[in-house]
């Protein structure tokens, strides 16, 4: 996000999602909030560059938004998870993927727990299920990232 503040030739993509807006979120600023039916239409019409289902909601990158930013001469940054990134690379081999990792496993755990508290603020069983499942997943991602850095470095 620092790139967006420092340079005017970058744009941050805005994802579409089927989840409800959280307090303070505005449609078209943080996300494009759509119904599940509309999202599935977008999938069928090939209107998404990538998409994934996460915690019972769909998330995806609208192709039209990205292309309109590129037509304005901007390099578009997609802030997406690994599933989506791999789909982007498959469809657009020239895309540059940057894997951003937290500085250590403890920070990763702290961020995941904070994220899941937002997802399931009033359900301890939901929180416990998802945090335990995804911390294991995140550990594997962290290990892959470390291997990648060692290979690339």
């Amino acid at each position: 996000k620092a790139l967006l503040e420092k340079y005017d030739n970058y744009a941050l993509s805005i994802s579409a999602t089927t989840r409800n807006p959280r307090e303070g979120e505005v449609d078209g600023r943080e996300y494009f909030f759509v119904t599940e039916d509309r999202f599935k239409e977008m999938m069928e019409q090939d209107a998404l560059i990538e998409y994934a289902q996460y915690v019972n909601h769909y998330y995806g990158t609208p192709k039209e938004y990205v292309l309109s930013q590129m037509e304005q001469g901007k390099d578009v940054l997609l802030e997406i998870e690994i599933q989506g990134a791999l789909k982007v690379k498959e469809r657009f081999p020239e895309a540059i993927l940057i894997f951003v990792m937290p500085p250590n496993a403890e920070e990763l755990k702290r961020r995941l727990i904070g994220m899941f508290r937002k997802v399931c603020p009033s359900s301890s069983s939901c929180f416990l299920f998802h945090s335990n499942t995804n911390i294991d997943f995140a550990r594997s991602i962290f290990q892959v990232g470390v291997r990648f850095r060692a290979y690339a470095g």
Side-chain angles (χ1 to χ4, degrees):
K1 293 185 181 174
L3 286 173
L4 299 172
E5 294 172 9
K6 189 171 182 175
Y7 303 100
D8 62 0
N9 63 315
Y10 291 102
L12 182 63
S13 177
I14 300 171
S15 295
T17 183
T18 58
R19 76 164 174 77
N20 291 325
R22 295 186 184 120
E23 186 175 328
E25 290 182 328
V26 176
D27 184 52
R29 186 179 67 192
E30 284 81 13
Y31 289 95
F32 296 111
F33 297 98
V34 298
T35 65
E36 189 168 325
D37 288 340
R38 174 66 187 125
F39 197 96
K40 287 180 178 178
E41 284 176 18
M42 293 169 75
M43 290 166 49
E44 291 169 7
Q45 296 168 353
D46 195 33
L48 298 165
I49 291 174
E50 58 79 32
Y51 61 88
Q53 189 172 15
Y54 181 72
V55 193
N56 298 320
H57 297 290
Y58 288 102
Y59 293 83
T61 304
K63 188 189 301 183
E64 183 180 333
Y65 181 81
V66 171
L67 294 177
S68 73
Q69 294 298 311
M70 291 172 67
E71 287 170 4
Q72 296 174 38
K74 298 195 182 238
D75 292 324
V76 182
L77 306 174
L78 280 63
E79 194 174 23
I80 55 179
E81 47 67 57
I82 193 77
Q83 277 181 336
L86 294 174
K87 287 180 184 177
V88 168
K89 191 65 173 175
E90 186 178 296
R91 288 184 71 181
F92 303 95
E94 71 280 7
I96 298 170
L97 302 183
I98 301 171
F99 188 83
V100 180
M101 295 184 346
N104 55 52
E106 190 57 38
E107 176 63 12
L108 175 63
K109 180 179 177 181
R110 186 190 71 72
R111 290 178 189 182
L112 285 170
I113 289 171
M115 177 181 65
F116 286 105
R117 285 190 177 140
K118 287 180 185 175
V119 171
C120 302
S122 62
S123 172
S124 59
S125 62
C126 177
F127 169 72
L128 291 173
F129 170 76
H130 288 300
S131 64
N132 288 338
T133 301
N134 285 284
I135 285 174
D136 289 340
F137 175 73
R139 279 192 191 118
S140 68
I141 294 296
F142 181 76
Q143 290 167 355
V144 168
V146 170
R147 286 189 197 112
F148 176 76
R149 187 176 349 164
Y151 175 75

